[in-house]
Amino acid sequence: MILSDLHTHSFFCDGKDSPEQMIESAIQKGLKEIGVLVHSYTPFDTAYCVSIEGQSEFITLMARLKEKYKGKIKVLCGVEQDVFSTTSIEGYDYCIGSSHYFLVDGEYYHVDYNPEYFINLVNEKFDGDYYKAVESYYNNLLLIGKNFTPDIIGHFDLITKFNEGDKLFSTTDTRYVEARDRALNYLISLGKPFEINTGAISRGYTTFPYPANNVIDAIKKAGGKLIISSDAHRKENVGFQFNEWQKLL
């Protein structure tokens, strides 16, 4: 049984519930460790991330909750640091490194907003070429470990969120494989664990976690480590389907 969930979000960023509600949910589900994170501040898009003022408020609250729940569950205060964020990771217990944006001609665009947005973005900014978007996304992952040092690699192949069954692009195409493997081999060299993320399943976009099976196999073959996380943005999704997918470890 998996007893730890190190990727959950509260209403300090784009989650729906309070940090304490996420902690209580973890206790009810028998977890022994829970990490609540904020999305790092991104000045070009403040709709989903923690505010500048909210960072210190969050850290202070989490310190109080650690003490309150001591003996019941281990509570950790984290940050999911985007590759384009410019704020410090100091003050947090740990950091998940990830990428949520494309950068095209000086403008930032979401990788995972919704299917319609993604399709329109590829048509308008990548000339309808999904593999250009793929290459852009995986190139951004090469910034992890350069701009900051994460403790965990988050949702490695997020670019596939709306591509269940390869309905938009083929994940066996040479251009996809080369872009993916270049980023994968670099990130494996950092020696940090990759998360098996069940978040897209709980949101109804996929039937399989990030990353894909062959990526998990490559990580294992290279001696890399894996953890399972829910990327829960609601209390009911803490520890989502951990028992079903723990075999992937």
Side-chain angles (χ1 to χ4, degrees):
M1 179 179 178
I2 304 300
L3 298 177
S4 177
D5 190 350
L6 294 180
H7 193 165
T8 73
H9 293 284
S10 72
F11 59 35
F12 272 88
C13 51
D14 59 344
K16 303 302 180 185
D17 300 304
S18 70
E20 187 160 15
Q21 287 174 306
M22 303 303 280
I23 294 167
E24 289 282 359
S25 178
I27 293 171
Q28 292 167 9
K29 293 176 180 179
L31 299 185
K32 300 300 182 184
E33 183 178 46
I34 177 73
V36 184
L37 302 92
V38 288
H39 282 289
S40 58
Y41 179 72
T42 47
F44 52 84
D45 178 17
T46 59
Y48 88 106
C49 66
V50 68
S51 66
I52 290 291
E53 301 78 14
Q55 294 176 97
S56 58
E57 183 183 349
F58 174 72
I59 292 171
T60 299
L61 173 61
M62 290 300 292
R64 189 161 67 247
L65 292 175
K66 287 180 190 180
E67 289 301 313
K68 179 176 179 178
Y69 288 94
K70 186 180 292 185
K72 293 183 179 180
I73 190 170
K74 183 177 181 180
V75 175
L76 295 173
C77 171
V79 59
E80 184 174 3
Q81 188 79 354
D82 191 271
V83 297
F84 293 118
S85 179
T86 57
T87 53
S88 172
I89 63 174
E90 291 184 11
Y92 299 98
D93 296 323
Y94 68 106
C95 166
I96 293 179
S98 61
S99 179
H100 298 89
Y101 296 96
F102 300 105
L103 177 58
V104 184
D105 298 329
E107 298 290 332
Y108 296 92
Y109 302 93
H110 291 274
V111 171
D112 62 332
Y113 187 67
N114 63 43
E116 295 75 22
Y117 176 97
F118 180 69
I119 291 169
N120 289 336
L121 178 66
V122 171
N123 287 333
E124 294 174 9
K125 300 298 179 180
F126 294 100
D127 305 317
D129 185 344
Y130 284 96
Y131 300 103
K132 282 187 180 180
V134 163
E135 290 160 353
S136 174
Y137 170 75
Y138 282 120
N139 282 340
N140 291 340
L141 292 185
L142 299 176
L143 298 173
I144 295 177
K146 295 182 172 66
N147 295 346
F148 60 94
T149 302
D151 298 291
I152 299 167
I153 307 300
H155 44 58
F156 171 75
D157 49 3
L158 181 66
I159 189 72
T160 64
K161 180 174 181 177
F162 309 122
N163 194 47
E164 178 91 349
D166 282 10
K167 59 187 174 186
L168 298 177
F169 55 88
S170 171
T171 53
T172 61
D173 185 275
T174 300
R175 288 175 66 190
Y176 180 86
V177 172
E178 288 180 351
R180 180 200 66 200
D181 287 354
R182 183 165 57 250
L184 181 63
N185 292 334
Y186 164 70
L187 292 174
I188 288 174
S189 75
L190 298 181
K192 305 298 182 180
F194 288 71
E195 66 172 1
I196 294 173
N197 183 312
T198 63
I201 305 175
S202 66
R203 295 174 184 81
Y205 289 111
T206 67
T207 57
F208 193 87
Y210 311 113
N213 250 333
N214 54 355
V215 175
I216 292 173
D217 290 342
I219 293 168
K220 288 180 178 178
K221 186 175 181 179
K225 296 180 180 180
L226 294 158
I227 64 169
I228 293 181
S229 62
S230 68
D231 202 351
H233 286 60
R234 299 175 181 271
K235 60 186 179 182
E236 57 265 30
N237 289 335
V238 172
F240 186 81
Q241 290 192 359
F242 278 12
N243 290 337
E244 289 90 329
W245 298 107
Q246 64 180 338
K247 63 183 180 293
L248 294 177
L249 295 176

